[in-house]
Amino acid sequence: MSKTDNDVPLAKVAPLRRISPLWLIPLVTLVVGAWMVYDNWSKQGPLISIEFSTAEGLEEGVTKIKTREVDVGQVEKITLNPDLNGVVVTARLNNEFRDLLVEGSRFWVVQPTISLSGVSGLGTLMTGQYIRFSPGKSDKKVSRFQGLDSPPLTPMNTPGLHLMLTTTGNYSFAKGDLIHYKGINVGKVEDVELNFSEHKIYYSVFITAPYHQLISTETRFWKASGIRAEVTSEGFQVEVGPIDSLLLGGISFSIPEGQFISEPVAENSVFYIYPSRSAIFEKQYLFAIQYWVLVKDSIGGLSVGSPVVHRGLQVGKVLRTDYIPEGRNLLDKTMDIPVLIEINPGRLGLPDSEDSLVRATNDINTWISQGLVATIKTQNFLLGSQLVNLQYEEGATTQPELTYFKDLVVIPIGVDSLEKFTESIEAFIAKINHLPLESVVGKLDLLLDEGAATLVSFQQLAKSGESVIGDERLVELLGQLTDTMSALEETAQSFANDSQTSQDLQRTLQTLSTFLEEMIPLITELKNQPSGLIIPTSPREEPQPTRKQQ
């Protein structure tokens, strides 16, 4: 029996599966891998660049970055900078320290260091050198930093006070020099910078807490030399500081006695460093007026820094004593020696300001026209130091116009009291030499002869009066008169030209004249060289003209 087409089963049509379940395995693997990459990238720390002057001691993939001896990153790459004057270190920090990369953060290489201030970095001899990281205080995030060539002496966030010290003297300090307060180390010099425009050196110092509370507007800093010797009116004084100041020097500070209560100072306030403790009472002044003093005599003992005084108070100082005008020389005996001085308006009781500078200039110029002069006086006979004294000269005539030298006003030179004393002695000697001693003695002899004749007349009158009148009181009076005339006769004989008294008087006057003449060179030498009485000086050789070589 044959089958028909209706008996043939129909085919079932179904969609063909294109993706095999086996593909799920690599897909899941890819997703997991991408997640791991993203997770690793999201947890990876920031990449930073640090510029150093040299890569000495640094290695790629080895050198660690630490803070407080904890690893916070690692150096990944070291390259030269575009200018070829340094290196750029690319490093990666751990992610948890991302927020610490702010402006003001500091990086430096820690290595073994031995200096006068101490020994540091000895641990790197075993573990190798590493980069120290000190976070800053700013909120601004940065990724490029300038590395320090040397480690900072004060850790970041250390409580205390930063100050700026400066000096105009010929003494300097270095990083690490100590700062003392009554022998206690309270801080250090952190940095040294030269200001070319002001010609001053500025020192960045840090005073640790709680000693920073001692700093006020009246605080004075001075150079601590360890041993201080000073000659004062009270004698010779020696002061020895702490042992570290003997070896290292440093800076000391305190508040001078007798100062008024002052206020605390702000961060990075500027203070002057005085050359010694005894100089802290001398205030620094910004404004000054310069004058020339043309000295006719010697300026021995007058040096740069010598005081300029008026009525016993210092009003300025000497700036220069070695200037010789062009075309002149010391072989010219008529040349005056120029001495440059300055006067501070602040020392005159005026404010230390530009307005006071104008007022003081006008007043001093007026004083000069009214008789103000400058004299060279001895300040210390033991040391031979001198000063410039401003005073009004008695009998000085007013000058309508000021004299100028090198575009500055000249203060006329006056006569010192010692020079006046010398001139008085010379005048006294001249008067003695011109005394008519012989004529005076002759007139005295003639006067005494007349007195003797008068005595004889009185004696005769007394005898006649005694015989005629016979009054006892009159007789007694005539007797006293007789005795007086006898004494006068003896005196006349003693003052005769050939008498001993007359000769003694002449010898005494001659001895006094000779003594005063011998004293004049000594007084003149003391005026030119005040220390010559104590410190002997060799005689100066006068320059001798030499014949020009043919």
Side-chain angles (χ1 to χ4, degrees):
M1 186 171 161
S2 62
K3 296 181 178 180
T4 63
D5 294 337
N6 295 331
D7 295 334
V8 178
L10 297 175
K12 296 181 178 180
V13 179
L16 183 64
R17 294 178 178 177
R18 296 180 179 180
I19 299 176
S20 173
L22 295 176
W23 286 101
L24 295 175
I25 297 175
L27 182 61
V28 171
T29 303
L30 181 62
V31 172
V32 172
W35 173 256
M36 293 179 62
V37 170
Y38 171 77
D39 183 69
N40 183 60
W41 177 82
S42 62
K43 293 183 179 180
Q44 190 178 35
L47 199 65
I48 63 173
S49 59
I50 312 170
E51 295 186 10
F52 289 103
S53 59
T54 178
E56 181 182 0
L58 304 180
E59 298 183 29
E60 295 181 356
V62 176
T63 303
K64 302 292 183 181
I65 299 179
K66 297 183 179 182
T67 179
R68 297 186 181 275
E69 307 305 327
V70 177
D71 293 344
V72 297
Q74 182 174 297
V75 175
E76 292 189 354
K77 187 179 181 181
I78 302 176
T79 59
L80 291 172
N81 62 12
D83 297 331
L84 301 180
N85 57 1
V87 297
V88 178
V89 176
T90 303
R92 187 176 298 278
L93 263 66
N94 299 339
N95 190 49
E96 58 267 27
F97 302 104
R98 179 186 299 271
D99 295 336
L100 299 180
L101 297 174
V102 296
E103 189 176 21
S105 299
R106 298 181 292 182
F107 295 85
W108 65 91
V109 179
V110 177
Q111 54 188 350
T113 302
I114 301 177
S115 63
L116 293 176
S117 59
V119 180
S120 62
L122 292 181
T124 58
L125 295 176
M126 302 296 296
T127 62
Q129 298 183 17
Y130 61 90
I131 298 177
R132 176 67 62 85
F133 167 47
S134 177
K137 295 181 179 181
S138 177
D139 295 332
K140 183 180 179 180
K141 301 291 183 64
V142 293
S143 59
R144 295 184 64 88
F145 300 91
Q146 180 66 46
L148 304 179
D149 293 332
S150 59
L153 300 178
T154 304
M156 187 69 74
N157 302 325
T158 301
L161 179 66
H162 286 89
L163 299 174
M164 294 296 295
L165 306 183
T166 183
T167 174
T168 56
N170 295 325
Y171 47 90
S172 60
F173 306 93
K175 291 183 179 180
D177 285 352
L178 302 177
I179 299 178
H180 309 279
Y181 177 76
K182 295 186 177 181
I184 303 176
N185 298 334
V186 299
K188 290 183 179 179
V189 177
E190 291 188 327
D191 196 11
V192 181
E193 179 182 358
L194 175 61
N195 189 311
F196 290 94
S197 60
E198 299 180 4
H199 301 284
K200 291 182 180 180
I201 299 177
Y202 285 91
Y203 303 93
S204 177
V205 304
F206 183 76
I207 309 297
T208 57
Y211 303 104
H212 70 287
Q213 302 177 16
L214 300 171
I215 306 299
S216 65
T217 55
E218 296 297 334
T219 300
R220 298 289 186 268
F221 292 82
W222 68 87
K223 180 179 180 295
S225 58
I227 298 179
R228 182 178 67 91
E230 184 177 3
V231 178
T232 64
S233 58
E234 299 178 355
F236 187 75
Q237 299 179 356
V238 178
E239 181 178 331
V240 181
I243 186 65
D244 51 359
S245 64
L246 291 174
L247 300 176
L248 306 177
I251 304 172
S252 296
F253 72 90
S254 69
I255 299 178
E257 297 180 1
Q259 297 294 334
F260 298 102
I261 299 177
S262 55
E263 300 294 333
V265 298
E267 189 84 0
N268 293 321
S269 297
V270 180
F271 289 86
Y272 283 93
I273 305 177
Y274 293 85
S276 63
R277 184 173 184 177
S278 59
I280 63 176
F281 297 97
E282 180 182 354
K283 186 178 179 180
Q284 299 289 334
Y285 297 93
L286 300 178
F287 297 92
I289 316 168
Q290 295 184 358
Y291 291 94
W292 284 104
V293 177
L294 304 181
V295 183
K296 300 182 181 298
D297 296 328
S298 172
I299 60 171
L302 195 67
S303 59
V304 176
S306 296
V308 177
V309 301
H310 176 60
R311 300 176 63 182
L313 298 177
Q314 183 174 356
V315 295
K317 63 181 179 180
V318 176
L319 297 180
R320 187 173 182 181
T321 60
D322 60 345
Y323 178 75
I324 298 179
E326 185 177 357
R328 305 293 298 272
N329 55 72
L330 294 178
L331 296 177
D332 185 2
K333 296 181 179 181
T334 62
M335 190 197 81
D336 297 335
I337 301 178
V339 176
L340 182 63
I341 67 173
E342 71 171 12
I343 300 176
N344 305 109
R347 296 181 185 270
L348 299 174
L350 301 175
D352 191 23
S353 62
E354 190 172 355
D355 294 338
S356 299
L357 191 66
V358 176
R359 175 185 171 184
T361 302
N362 295 332
D363 290 345
I364 295 176
N365 291 345
T366 303
W367 296 348
I368 294 174
S369 62
Q370 294 177 353
L372 182 70
V373 297
T375 59
I376 309 301
K377 297 186 64 176
T378 300
Q379 181 183 14
N380 190 309
F381 276 97
L382 180 61
L383 302 178
S385 58
Q386 292 186 329
L387 53 81
V388 178
N389 181 48
L390 302 180
Q391 63 184 18
Y392 285 98
E393 191 172 35
E394 297 181 0
T397 58
T398 59
Q399 50 181 8
E401 296 183 359
L402 299 175
T403 304
Y404 289 85
F405 177 78
K406 303 295 292 184
D407 298 330
L408 294 178
V409 177
V410 176
I411 300 179
I413 192 70
V415 181
D416 185 24
S417 58
L418 185 60
E419 185 175 353
K420 290 182 179 179
F421 178 66
T422 305
E423 294 177 355
S424 299
I425 291 180
E426 293 176 349
F428 181 63
I429 294 174
K431 290 181 179 179
I432 291 178
N433 291 333
H434 289 83
L435 282 178
L437 296 179
E438 295 181 357
S439 61
V440 170
V441 173
K443 292 181 180 179
L444 180 61
D445 190 14
L446 179 61
L447 178 62
L448 294 177
D449 289 341
E450 294 178 354
T454 304
L455 176 61
V456 174
S457 301
F458 269 104
Q459 287 177 346
Q460 295 176 355
L461 179 61
K463 291 179 179 179
S464 62
E466 181 179 0
S467 59
V468 175
I469 302 176
D471 189 359
E472 296 182 357
R473 295 182 59 186
L474 182 59
V475 172
E476 181 180 357
L477 178 60
L478 293 176
Q480 293 178 357
L481 182 60
T482 302
D483 296 338
T484 302
M485 288 301 177
S486 300
L488 181 61
E489 184 178 3
E490 293 178 359
T491 304
Q493 294 177 358
S494 64
F495 275 96
N497 289 332
D498 55 350
S499 65
Q500 185 65 32
T501 302
S502 178
Q503 295 178 2
D504 291 343
L505 178 59
Q506 293 181 4
R507 282 196 297 268
T508 301
L509 292 176
Q510 291 176 358
T511 303
L512 178 59
S513 177
T514 304
F515 171 75
L516 294 177
E517 289 178 352
E518 293 177 352
M519 284 293 294
I520 289 179
L522 176 60
I523 295 174
T524 304
E525 180 65 23
L526 287 178
K527 181 183 67 174
N528 297 331
Q529 186 70 27
S531 61
L533 186 62
I534 301 175
I535 304 174
T537 56
S538 56
R540 294 176 295 179
E541 295 183 358
E542 295 292 337
Q544 299 294 333
T546 57
R547 184 177 181 181
K548 184 177 179 181
Q549 298 292 333
Q550 300 295 332

